């Protein structure tokens, strides 16, 4: 299933929310500020993993 935004994904997919909750606070904030278009858990993980490598 695909969602229109990262927030919609987090609100609708418990697995995505669980992944997000396990990230450091600074990565969470960057995801919400810069990567607002994650359409599914795979995209959210790709964005989150990329941010963790570059922070």
């Amino acid at each position: 299933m695909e969602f229109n935004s990262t927030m919609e994904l987090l609100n609708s997919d418990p697995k995505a929310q669980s992944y997000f909750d396990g990230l450091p606070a600074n990565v969470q904030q960057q995801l919400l500020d810069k990567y607002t278009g994650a359409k599914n858990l795979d995209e959210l993980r790709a964005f989150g993993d990329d941010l963790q490598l570059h922070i």
Side-chain angles (χ1 to χ4, degrees):
M1 179 175 247
E2 290 197 353
F3 297 90
N4 293 322
S5 71
T6 299
M7 285 305 299
E8 185 179 316
L9 172 64
L10 293 174
N11 289 330
S12 301
D13 185 336
K15 289 181 182 178
Q17 185 66 57
S18 178
Y19 169 77
F20 182 83
D21 290 344
L23 294 170
N26 61 333
V27 174
Q28 289 179 357
Q29 193 60 53
Q30 293 246 357
L31 281 170
L32 294 176
D33 290 346
K34 296 181 179 178
Y35 294 95
T36 59
K39 295 180 180 356
N40 54 52
L41 178 55
D42 289 337
E43 281 190 9
L44 184 67
R45 281 191 175 137
F47 294 152
D49 293 348
D50 184 59
L51 281 170
Q52 290 184 84
L53 290 174
H54 295 100
I55 290 181

